[in-house]
Structures are given as structure tokens and as C-alpha cells.
Amino acid sequence: MSFDSLGLNADILRAVAEQGYREPTPIQRQAIPVVLAGRDLLASAQTGTGKTAGFTLPLLQRLSEKPAARGRRPVRALILTPTRELAAQVGENVREYSQYLNMRSLVVFGGVSINPQMMKLRGGVDVLVATPGRLLDLAHQNAVDLSQVEILVLDEADRMLDMGFIHDIRRVLAKLPAKRQNLLFSATFSDEIKTLAEKLLTNPEQVEVARRNTASEQVSQQVHFVDKKRKRELLSLMIGRDNWQQVLVFTRTKHGANHLAEQLNKDGITAAAIHGNKSQGARTRALADFKSGSIRVLVATDIAARGLDIEELPHVVNYELPNVAEDYVHRIGRTGRAAATGAALSLVCVDEHKLLRDIERLLKREIPRIALEGFEPDPSIKAEPIQNGRQQQSRGQGQGRGQGRGQSGSGARPQGGSGQRPQGGSGARPQGEARRQGGNGQAAPAANSGRRRPAVKKSGNV
Ligand code: AMP
């Protein structure tokens, strides 16, 4: 099936062809006709499925069918995303797909100055991509009029709820006209999502695409047992010996990320750290340098890595295992996408044996072991409790407005102290992504996303 048969106009098809897309993905095949028909849509699709084009292409077409009003253009389509990163990516897509249309789009999110956003809104915008917090800030300052919105998209609605945005979403909904088309995308369908969908959608068409293969099926995984003190040496050796050129390394803590990046640089391996204490500018730079190949290693904490959009990443290293087994799957999900195969290596010290067992229980299989001669663990070293990093949390933490707003409403705020966890697989993307830096030339940072989990401690150092 080709894009031509979906009913999209020539200007949109041209933009799509320029992206190199040859045929629509399953979500696009299903969603595009529904949206073009003006129906509400409840779509189950993860990042990586092509969902963004699935709603953006028909949305642009519908808007372009009705000419924009003269004078200042009101916002006619509003796309809400949970994170700056996603907002930036969606905004970039909108720009690309609408390049041959007479359509203005804008991305607004927190962490950057609000004034330029206000100025651009004043000039008139047809399609607004926004994180909820910043959108409300703009609305409170009367910088945005949402009363003419014809199409609303809630992208990654499950993450929005996880991040505590429900109240913000309600506030935004209250500013929209009652008559509009609503599109809700979510990777998962909890009761909360169903409740939201029931309230939001009118007689929706439901579309669903299969979950992507889990990373664990596509990624070659290995474990190397090694003493904590010798991890850096082993990592440097493997990077050098096997000539790894692009390696995403995970640590549990921000301090650990900084320290490791410094050490790798001393070893002659170019590296930078990316975590919640880094400024937006520093994160943007580190990510751009990593994507362009001017640094080989990006050392990241789980939360900072959450929104990283890196094409076909060949190597992921768990320098420290995550405290939460699911995070392992998210980490290695950053490699081995689509046609690419990836390799995930975990360096496991004696303290982490229990974490490894938890991960293997989750994967329902043992990860193959490798051992480089000379790096065998010293059997006399006893396990010590792991003090740092994200710990499991009680239900409800990280779910308040403050948490959610922080995502879009503050600058380089420390991330992750709230026990929010990455979720969903927005990791490396299948194609056409390496050049992406996010909207307005800003690479947005990783997202915090909360998810309920049992018990224990809070930690602010990831
Ligand atoms: P998304 O799920 O929207 O985040 O899209 C994931 C990636 O797939 C992005 O890099 C898109 O540029 C790419 N993509 C979207 N639609 C297609 C398509 N029909 N063919 C190939 N790549 C696509």
C-alpha cells in the first residue's frame, strides 16, 4: 500500500516522499483515514511505530482544506505531549510535513524563555505543539487563545497521566471549544486512560498496532562479572579493543555519570555526561556531539536518557545495573531497533547480583555471560548494599502537579528525585532521526515519567 491511496493531498505527499517514507506504517494506514473523516480516535501505539505522522498528516490536511482566517491566525490544532523532548520531535515532524502548506506551527515547552514563545504566538500559529505546563503558563498570561481549536491530540497520554498532568490536561480542556475532533494516543490502556478516553472522545474509532518487538528480542545481551573498582578499566578496554564508536553508558547516579565521563576522557575516550543537573544547553550539546560522532561515549542516568532520540544505537552498556528491573529493558531498548542489531553489555559487580537476578526473572531468561581474562572478580570482596540511585517508590509520588509542571515549567532542574521512571520505548528511532535536534533547534531533555511501584526509598541523585 502506498501513501497515495490514503487520500492525502499532493503537498503533503510530496513532503512525505522527501522524508523517504515509501509506504505507510500500520498505524498510519489505520489512523489516517479515520482522522481525515473527522472522527475521534483512540489509538494504541508506541513511539517508533510512526504514530506522529499518523496524526500529523491527516491533521494538516484537514486544516489545509479550510483556509486559515485572515489576520492573526488562531490555534486550530493543539498537540499536547508529556515531555519537551517529544514536543520538540513532534514539532519538527509538523514542520517537515507542512513545508509545502501555508501553515504555521510552533512548539512550546518549559525550561526555555517564555518570551520568544509569546512573541511567536502573537504572530499567529495554526498548529501548536505544547507540554501542558508551559501551555497553561502561556494561557494564564493571555498569550494563547485556545478557543478556536478544531483538533486536539493527546500524544502519549499514558505518560501524561503517569507524570501527573491530569489536572493540567483538564485545565487545558476547559479552555477548548466543546466541538472539536479529539485524537488520543497511548501505549498502554490503564483504567485512568479509559476514563480519560470516555470523557474526551465521542464515538471514537479505535485502532491498535502490535507492540514493537521488545528490545530483548533484538538485542544481543551479555553480562560480564567484574569488581566495581575495575569496571572503568574494563569498559575502556572493550571500547578501545572492539573499536566501539557510539556507546550509551548508564550509571545509577548523576555523580557517577560525571565521574565516569571524566575518567573515560582521561583514558583517551571522548565522553560526556547527561543528567538532570546539566543545563539544557549542556544536554543539547552533549547529545549533538554524540550524534555527530564527535564524542564516542554518552554517560547517562536513566531519567536523563529517557527521551534520547538516537538512531540505531549500536552499543548500550549498563555500567551499573538499574535498581528497577524494568529500567533495564528501557535502557537496552535504545539499541537494536528495526533492521539494526544492537549489543547491550552489563558490567555486574558483586553488589548487583540481586539486581541481575531480578532482571533475569523479568526477562524470563538468563543473560549470556562473558569474561575477559584478567577481569575475574575477586572472590574475597563481599557484597555491600547499593546506596545510590533510583529506588522503588510508593504509589502516588511524583504524580502531583508540581512534578508534572516541573517538566515543562522549569529550567535545568534536577530530575528524577521523585522516583519517576522512564517508560515506554521512545529510545532510538528507526530512521531519519539522527539529524533531529528537536524543535526550534533545541534538543529537549529527557522526560521524567512517573509510574507506580511498590515501596521504599526516595533518592534525589539520578
Ligand atoms: P514515531 O513513532 O512517530 O515517533 O516515528 C518513528 C520514526 O519513524 C520517525 O523517525 C519517523 O520519521 C519514522 N517514520 C514515520 N513514518 C514512517 C514511514 N511511513 N516509513 C518510514 N519511516 C517512518
Side-chain angles (χ1 to χ4, degrees), residues 3 21 23 28 47-52 429 431 433 436:
F3 273 100
Y21 304 167
E23 54 178 41
Q28 292 163 2
T47 297
T49 54
K51 67 181 167 66
T52 314
R429 299 184 150 225
Q431 48 196 303
E433 291 292 293
R436 280 196 189 167

Side-chain angles (χ1 to χ4, degrees), residues 242-318:
D242 298 332
N243 198 22
W244 294 350
Q245 289 303 323
Q246 202 183 32
V247 195
L248 179 62
V249 177
F250 284 93
T251 60
R252 276 192 294 267
T253 68
K254 293 181 264 202
H255 171 72
N258 283 339
H259 188 58
L260 179 61
E262 270 166 35
Q263 286 185 313
L264 290 172
N265 280 312
K266 279 187 194 146
D267 289 346
I269 295 169
T270 48
I274 188 162
H275 54 67
N277 276 5
K278 295 269 180 184
S279 69
Q280 178 89 44
R283 292 188 213 183
T284 306
R285 252 192 326 277
L287 185 58
D289 288 349
F290 186 57
K291 285 181 172 182
S292 71
S294 61
I295 54 166
R296 279 167 91 175
V297 181
L298 190 64
V299 189
T301 56
D302 287 283
I303 287 171
R306 172 61 188 86
L308 293 187
D309 170 24
I310 303 159
E311 184 183 13
E312 295 174 1
L313 194 55
H315 294 284
V316 167
V317 173
N318 294 304

